[in-house]
Amino acid sequence: MNKLIHLFSLEWLKFKNNSVFILFGSMFLLTFPLAIFVGKEIKNLPPPLPNNSIFYEFPTNWEWLAYEGSWLVCFFLAFIVMNMITSEVSHKTLRQNIITGLTRKDFFLAKLISVFALCIAATLFYVIVALLIGFFHNDPYSLDGAFSDKLWVLRYFLMCLGYLSFAFMIGFIIRSPGISIFFYISYTFLIEPALKWVVHYKIFSNSSINYWPMNAVEDLTPMPLMKYTENLPRQDLDFSFLLEPNHAIVAVTIYSALFIGLAYWHFMSKDI
């Protein structure tokens, strides 16, 4: 345990004053609790939605905040993780760390601990914001219904781990800051959707299409309105758009372990 704390403290000393960490970290912390209040401007919601209280009151505020947070994690925190790795290469501090005493395993472990620390911190922040917003919007002030679905905390944590472990792998494999970010965005929003619908769907028109890595991560904290469309008749698809929560949890756990394993294998086998 002392070794883990020591490695994390080294990472903290290296990046606490880093401009990318400060900028994107601040944007995440400010945007996350404030963006949900855009819902105050939505006065009339179409049936079967009740009113904009679903954004703020227990227990539905958990799912709306999780969906909003998934976008912020996907961008801000993932960019921090990639910068945390690629900047070591571009500034040549990776080689310096190894020369001055850290083993490759220690260097990798320090980065991995930082990823888990970001996931835990983001999840705790999510819980605090959800509880505060729900408490002050429930009438009278109370926590009734706050913990009716405890699975949302686990789903949010795994969503963070899914995105950040993917960014972690890309950072270790590509190593270039600009190319890493370009590939991350391209794969998440262009390449995987194209492979899903242009290739996979043409060959296998079934629910296996939902098990692509980033799709599984997205389905941990999906757009809450999607659940209202699941029972609508569809002539083109005979399967659900969304993975069952338990299936998404298992899939993302496996993918995260795979991403971390691939990053480790590549780092240990490549020249520094």
Side-chain angles (χ1 to χ4, degrees):
M1 180 59 71
N2 290 336
K3 182 178 181 178
L4 298 181
I5 295 174
H6 172 66
L7 291 174
F8 178 71
S9 65
L10 290 178
E11 287 297 299
W12 173 249
L13 290 173
K14 278 195 287 187
F15 289 96
K16 67 177 182 178
N17 296 320
N18 179 274
S19 58
V20 173
F21 176 77
I22 294 172
L23 174 63
F24 287 111
S26 300
M27 291 175 70
F28 177 82
L29 292 175
L30 291 173
T31 306
F32 184 76
L34 296 178
I36 195 70
F37 288 100
V38 174
K40 294 282 188 182
E41 303 302 317
I42 304 175
K43 303 301 181 183
N44 298 312
L45 294 174
L49 300 178
N51 52 59
N52 62 8
S53 64
I54 61 172
F55 301 132
Y56 313 105
E57 294 180 357
F58 298 128
T60 52
N61 69 325
W62 289 98
E63 52 191 289
W64 284 97
L65 279 168
Y67 172 70
E68 172 207 316
S70 68
W71 286 93
L72 303 180
V73 170
C74 178
F75 285 100
F76 298 146
L77 299 192
F79 289 178
I80 287 175
V81 168
M82 285 184 283
N83 175 74
M84 183 176 67
I85 298 163
T86 58
S87 64
E88 297 268 24
V89 178
S90 61
H91 296 151
K92 302 187 185 304
T93 50
L94 189 162
R95 184 174 299 176
Q96 182 181 347
N97 279 312
I98 302 300
I99 293 173
T100 54
L102 279 184
T103 66
R104 284 194 181 211
K105 289 183 180 180
D106 286 343
F107 182 88
F108 183 88
L109 186 57
K111 300 300 181 187
L112 184 58
I113 292 169
S114 300
V115 167
F116 275 93
L118 274 176
C119 292
I120 293 170
T123 303
L124 288 175
F125 191 54
Y126 162 68
V127 171
I128 292 170
V129 171
L131 290 176
L132 288 175
I133 290 177
F135 176 78
F136 286 107
H137 284 82
N138 273 32
D139 189 20
Y141 301 142
S142 73
L143 293 177
D144 290 345
F147 302 103
S148 59
D149 189 354
K150 301 181 182 66
L151 203 59
W152 275 106
V153 177
L154 175 61
R155 289 167 68 173
Y156 191 87
F157 172 79
L158 287 176
M159 176 274 295
C160 293
L161 184 60
Y163 280 125
L164 299 194
S165 62
F166 183 58
F168 182 76
M169 179 189 70
I170 291 173
F172 268 107
I173 292 177
I174 296 180
R175 297 192 175 191
S176 168
I179 299 175
S180 294
I181 293 174
F182 177 77
F183 179 80
Y184 173 85
I185 294 175
S186 297
Y187 179 84
T188 303
F189 297 103
L190 295 175
I191 298 174
E192 183 175 296
L195 291 173
K196 277 171 51 183
W197 295 107
V198 178
V199 179
H200 190 126
Y201 180 67
K202 298 297 182 182
I203 301 173
F204 306 104
S205 301
N206 54 47
S207 60
S208 64
I209 198 173
N210 292 326
Y211 286 89
W212 283 78
M214 294 299 98
N215 188 84
V217 176
E218 291 173 15
D219 284 356
L220 282 170
T221 55
M223 171 64 169
L225 292 178
M226 291 291 290
K227 66 184 179 182
Y228 295 102
T229 67
E230 285 297 289
N231 296 322
L232 295 178
R234 297 190 297 267
Q235 297 180 349
D236 54 336
L237 295 176
D238 59 357
F239 55 87
S240 173
F241 278 113
L242 300 175
L243 284 176
E244 291 290 330
N246 290 338
H247 292 186
I249 287 171
V250 172
V252 172
T253 301
I254 293 172
Y255 279 128
S256 298
L258 180 62
F259 295 150
I260 293 169
L262 287 172
Y264 180 77
W265 171 79
H266 187 272
F267 179 62
M268 296 301 289
S269 62
K270 186 176 177 65
D271 292 337
I272 59 172

